[in-house]
Amino acid sequence: MSSHDAGVLIVGGGLIGSSIAWRLAQRGVPVTLVDAGNLGGEASTAGAGMLAPASEAAKRSGWLDLGIQSLRLYPQFLEELREETGREVEHRACGCLYIDPGANVDALEALHRSTGMRVERRGDSLFYPEEGIVDPGALLRSLRHAAEKRGVKIEHAMVSDVHADQHKAVVIAAGAWSGKIPVIGRDGPLALPKSEPVKASSSATRSAARRGRPCR
């Protein structure tokens, strides 16, 4: 792939790639954001906007700690985005109810309490009042608006390979396709971690949401 003014190249325009592009552009860094299709058109909306780092973790890890830290930074992040774009993004700390008949609830409760997360025992289930949801579609639109406002160059193209030495830095944020993008450094190809898509499902209780009840 050819050089883009020796700035930062970001491959993948989902929530992660678009957020990084906006943050770099805020600091005056030239950024080119490249995506094969519509920005965020693949997995960015597949998680239904769930912000649930603790209830989805069965063991302690660096990812869990980062997820909890990110969860607590979300309100500030969205407020800054709103001030820059004038656009609202729905965000609710409505809590998450974890139900798994086969889980060791005592062990999970102890694990998640050790992280500093609030956990409420409800019979054989656990409720996490700090967790919540964000509207991923609205967030994507706001991030694109913010990135373009800051001068991020957005291109729609299939990336066949990336020559890292032609850019100040390269960010591969293409989700499940990240591991399939050849990245070539000064000394040859760089080994990227393998990645693959994972199928998931979600459901919603529309009537409760309409009445303004917590999304538990």
Side-chain angles (χ1 to χ4, degrees):
M1 189 171 186
S2 62
S3 174
H4 289 81
D5 302 324
V8 174
L9 174 68
I10 300 176
V11 180
L15 289 172
I16 299 301
S18 296
S19 296
I20 294 172
W22 172 48
R23 287 305 200 192
L24 287 174
Q26 279 184 311
R27 291 156 176 77
V29 178
V31 178
T32 298
L33 181 63
V34 182
D35 196 286
N38 294 326
L39 299 191
E42 297 294 343
S44 285
T45 59
M50 290 177 61
L51 304 174
S55 59
E56 294 184 342
K59 61 182 180 180
R60 189 69 182 263
S61 68
W63 292 112
L64 173 58
D65 294 336
L66 285 171
I68 293 172
Q69 182 181 7
S70 176
L71 175 69
R72 290 171 175 165
L73 290 172
Y74 236 93
Q76 177 184 340
F77 172 75
L78 292 178
E79 176 59 23
E80 187 176 345
L81 187 60
R82 185 195 65 77
E83 290 178 355
E84 182 143 329
T85 64
R87 296 170 178 242
E88 297 289 343
V89 175
E90 181 183 10
H91 169 246
R92 288 188 289 160
C94 53
C96 181
L97 183 64
Y98 177 85
I99 303 172
D100 184 352
N104 185 334
V105 179
D106 291 332
L108 284 175
E109 181 181 11
L111 166 67
H112 296 145
R113 286 189 185 280
S114 73
T115 68
M117 282 288 289
R118 291 171 56 198
V119 185
E120 298 176 7
R121 187 67 175 264
R122 300 190 175 182
D124 293 330
S125 305
L126 297 172
F127 180 66
Y128 300 81
E130 292 180 78
E131 297 187 336
I133 57 173
V134 67
D135 182 342
L139 181 53
L140 280 164
R141 291 189 291 272
S142 290
L143 285 169
R144 174 161 186 167
H145 181 73
E148 290 179 326
K149 185 177 178 181
R150 290 280 181 174
V152 172
K153 183 178 181 181
I154 298 176
E155 296 183 0
H156 298 281
M158 183 71 70
V159 176
S160 57
D161 57 53
V162 175
H163 292 265
D165 59 346
Q166 296 180 354
H167 312 277
K168 288 183 179 179
V170 173
V171 177
I172 305 296
W177 296 269
S178 294
K180 298 179 180 180
I181 298 174
V183 179
I184 303 168
R186 293 179 180 177
D187 300 322
L190 303 177
L192 299 182
K194 291 183 179 180
S195 57
E196 59 184 22
V198 176
K199 185 179 181 180
S201 62
S202 63
S203 62
T205 53
R206 293 178 181 271
S207 58
R210 282 199 299 267
R211 291 193 292 268
R213 296 179 181 177
C215 49
R216 301 177 184 179

